[in-house]
Amino acid sequence: MSTPNTTACYQAAGDILYVKDLKADNQGVSNDWKLSNGSSRWGQCGSTLGAGKWGYCDKDFPEGVKIQFGAYYNSVYYSKTVTT
């Protein structure tokens, strides 16, 4: 999923979260995530690598649960929900 300044992705094989900075503004970007299985597990996969570059975080999520991931733009959370 994308906003005007960030692309956030999730790869089920290996539980990898990706985040790409789309805007050369010297600001970091993050892929914010949370599990939807009743747990309180959540986090951020951040990147300060600069515009046009992908950052990633290698996670270990339980199999078969839903994960919501996405990014904020102008205080609005843009997200997608998938099953691990």
Side-chain angles (χ1 to χ4, degrees):
M1 59 78 19
S2 290
T3 72
N5 66 336
T6 309
T7 296
C9 304
Y10 169 71
Q11 177 183 307
D15 290 329
I16 301 175
L17 293 158
Y18 292 94
V19 61
K20 183 179 184 179
D21 191 342
L22 302 177
K23 193 172 182 182
D25 59 3
N26 292 321
Q27 299 293 313
V29 293
S30 70
N31 183 343
D32 300 351
W33 60 270
K34 68 177 179 177
L35 294 184
S36 301
N37 65 344
S39 78
S40 58
R41 191 168 170 198
W42 62 275
Q44 291 182 318
C45 178
S47 174
T48 57
L49 297 173
K53 298 190 174 137
W54 286 96
Y56 73 94
C57 298
D58 189 353
K59 299 292 184 182
D60 185 19
F61 298 124
E63 297 299 316
V65 300
K66 291 186 182 198
I67 180 173
Q68 182 182 35
F69 69 93
Y72 284 91
Y73 180 73
N74 286 341
S75 300
V76 177
Y77 184 56
Y78 295 85
S79 67
K80 183 173 184 175
T81 301
V82 297
T83 303
T84 60

